[in-house]
Amino acid sequence: MPESAEYLRIADDVMADVRSGKLKPGDRLPSITETRADYGVSYGTVQLAYVRLEALRVIRRQQGKGVFVTDPKTWMREP
């Protein structure tokens, strides 16, 4: 998969982990550095994934604290 499409895989993986119960509302996601290493992608690719997840209200960012999973009931549905 070209790196340009990897951000979709990262976003889909996070949503799947929440649906399966592996991640729960309020859980902190790994750092961008950790996610980059796990997927072998650039900083920008992880940022794109997080922007997508934030737009769908799957995650929320807290300055200086991290990125956290939200309750799936608050998620926007994909168009």
Side-chain angles (χ1 to χ4, degrees), residues 48-64:
L48 276 174
Y50 282 10
V51 165
R52 178 172 174 74
L53 290 167
E54 204 168 24
L56 294 171
R57 298 185 184 153
V58 174
I59 61 169
R60 63 182 162 73
R61 298 181 201 227
Q62 283 191 264
Q63 187 70 30

Side-chain angles (χ1 to χ4, degrees), residues 17-79:
D17 285 350
V18 175
R19 288 186 186 110
S20 73
K22 185 176 174 186
L23 286 171
K24 295 175 181 41
D27 282 355
R28 187 171 180 262
L29 290 183
S31 71
I32 288 177
T33 302
E34 291 173 286
T35 303
R36 283 182 64 197
D38 290 346
Y39 286 89
V41 296
S42 69
Y43 177 88
T45 298
V46 178
Q47 276 293 102
L48 276 174
Y50 282 10
V51 165
R52 178 172 174 74
L53 290 167
E54 204 168 24
L56 294 171
R57 298 185 184 153
V58 174
I59 61 169
R60 63 182 162 73
R61 298 181 201 227
Q62 283 191 264
Q63 187 70 30
K65 295 189 182 197
V67 178
F68 298 88
V69 175
T70 62
D71 186 330
K73 293 182 207 112
T74 68
W75 294 4
M76 292 183 67
R77 301 296 169 228
E78 293 184 64

